[in-house]
């Protein structure tokens, strides 16, 4: 595990669009940070810079003690959960979970141990032999999270992971993520539009506006104080 330090991060896209205007956030080891704010305020740009999917125009990004500005996404020791959980349709749940580890030269018995542990936490242990199409939407989203968990990363990045689910499932999966957060205690950066998700999950909320931090604090500080 590790904290994440954003030191005056900036992103200027082609056409001189300044999407992120020098944002600094010190994410503690094990802390769950939720990023909220109106569409276009820079949430996904910020998350993608941390993931390494977008170049950093200016500023410094540390994961643990390591400056990672120029480190490839795969070498950043982070795992990202997307809203479009792209599972491999022809592979069993087991192999969907194991696939990323098989490519990393992790021994077979270690892979099996990690897959079983993640499956137990997510309560998908009975479905390991099924194909994704034989699963419900919620079970699929759990497999997608399982793929992040088995990597045992220093941090999780969530890009609106629940926004494609129906309202009932969203509530259920929100509690699931909350449980995960308690059990694993992994540093997390979570982007959402949903105020309930933000309030339930966040240790600290970061409200962005126009590429800048407008407010930062506990959910109570941000939502309940005048
Ligand atoms: P959010 O995730 O909060 O909706 P984004 O990070 O997607 O915000 O976008 C922030 C700003 O950057 C917006 O003004 C958006 O139009 C702009 N932007 C996002 N991606 C690109 C891109 N690839 N090229 C140019 N501008 C972009
Ligand atoms: P493929 O779709 O690649 O042919 P297999 O079902 O043959 O997948 O499994 C490949 C390996 O993954 C097996 O050798 C086994 O070790 C492991 N595996 C697959 N399913 C399970 C499972 N349900 N429990 C434990 N290991 C499994």
């Amino acid at each position: 595990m590790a904290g994440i330090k954003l030191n005056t991060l900036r992103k200027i896209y082609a056409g001189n669009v300044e999407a992120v205007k020098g944002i600094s956030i010190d994410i503690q080891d094990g802390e769950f940070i939720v990023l909220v704010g109106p569409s276009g305020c820079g949430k996904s740009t910020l998350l993608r810079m941390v993931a390494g999917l977008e170049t950093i125009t200016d500023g410094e990004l540390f994961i643990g003690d390591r400056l990672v500005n120029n480190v490839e996404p795969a070498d950043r020791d982070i795992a990202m959960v997307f809203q479009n959980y792209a599972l491999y349709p022809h592979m069993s749940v087991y192999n969907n979970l194991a696939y990323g580890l098989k490519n990393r030269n992790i021994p077979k018995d270690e892979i099996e141990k990690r897959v079983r542990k993640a499956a137990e936490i997510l309560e998908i242990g009975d479905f390991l032999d099924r194909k994704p199409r034989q699963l419900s939407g919620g079970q699929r989203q759990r497999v997608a999270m399982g793929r992040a968990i088995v990597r045992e990363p220093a941090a999780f990045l969530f890009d609106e992971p629940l926004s494609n689910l129906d309202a009932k499932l969203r509530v259920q999966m929100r509690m699931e993520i909350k449980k995960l957060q308690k059990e694993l205690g992994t540093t997390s950066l979570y982007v959402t539009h949903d105020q309930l998700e933000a309030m339930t999950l966040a240790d600290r909320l970061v409200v962005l506006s126009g590429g800048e931090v407008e407010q930062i604090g506990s959910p109570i500080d941000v939502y309940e104080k005048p």
Side-chain angles (χ1 to χ4, degrees):
M1 295 218 300
I4 304 175
K5 188 179 171 69
L6 288 65
N7 190 10
T8 56
L9 282 192
R10 282 174 84 216
K11 177 66 183 183
I12 301 178
Y13 284 113
N16 222 16
V17 180
E18 193 175 7
V20 171
K21 302 177 179 170
I23 287 184
S24 297
I25 310 170
D26 231 329
I27 306 176
Q28 304 301 308
D29 194 354
E31 194 175 25
F32 202 108
I33 295 275
V34 178
L35 279 179
V36 294
S39 181
C41 70
K43 301 183 294 296
S44 77
T45 299
L46 195 62
L47 194 74
R48 290 168 59 80
M49 283 198 285
V50 176
L53 302 173
E54 206 69 75
T55 58
I56 293 168
T57 306
D58 203 9
E60 294 168 319
L61 175 67
F62 294 90
I63 297 177
D65 296 331
R66 190 161 69 123
L67 179 70
V68 297
N69 284 46
N70 298 312
V71 173
E72 291 295 315
D75 296 327
R76 289 190 180 197
D77 198 17
I78 50 174
M80 190 141 167
V81 181
F82 298 90
Q83 58 180 263
N84 301 314
Y85 38 84
L87 304 180
Y88 303 110
H90 58 288
M91 283 187 205
S92 65
V93 168
Y94 184 96
N95 282 318
N96 264 282
L97 294 172
Y99 184 75
L101 302 181
K102 285 178 181 170
N103 292 336
R104 281 162 189 255
N105 291 325
I106 294 172
K108 210 172 159 171
D109 54 346
E110 170 68 16
I111 292 179
E112 176 150 0
K113 201 177 94 196
R114 290 198 199 178
V115 168
R116 295 212 175 275
K117 185 174 154 210
E120 187 190 329
I121 293 171
L122 295 166
E123 295 172 11
I124 50 174
D126 293 339
F127 312 127
L128 289 176
D129 293 324
R130 292 200 196 168
K131 298 284 164 64
R133 71 181 140 74
Q134 298 168 303
L135 302 176
S136 69
Q139 289 164 344
R140 279 181 213 159
Q141 183 54 267
R142 276 183 213 170
V143 178
M145 281 191 231
R147 277 161 116 186
I149 292 171
V150 295
R151 291 174 57 182
E152 300 185 349
F156 293 124
L157 304 179
F158 295 92
D159 189 6
E160 305 199 28
L162 308 185
S163 61
N164 279 350
L165 303 177
D166 65 43
K168 195 170 148 218
L169 250 173
R170 217 155 49 223
V171 174
Q172 192 187 328
M173 292 307 296
R174 191 173 79 222
M175 301 322 291
E176 203 71 42
I177 293 173
K178 183 83 188 164
K179 189 183 115 196
L180 210 77
Q181 174 189 358
K182 283 213 181 102
E183 282 184 42
L184 300 178
T186 306
T187 309
S188 297
L189 186 55
Y190 188 105
V191 167
T192 185
H193 275 109
D194 184 312
Q195 188 171 331
L196 265 173
E197 272 174 43
M199 290 191 58
T200 315
L201 296 172
D203 291 324
R204 273 194 300 161
L205 269 167
V206 177
V207 184
L208 296 186
S209 173
E212 296 178 288
V213 174
E214 190 178 71
Q215 255 186 302
I216 182 163
S218 71
I220 288 174
D221 285 341
V222 170
Y223 284 127
E224 289 175 18
K225 294 224 173 114

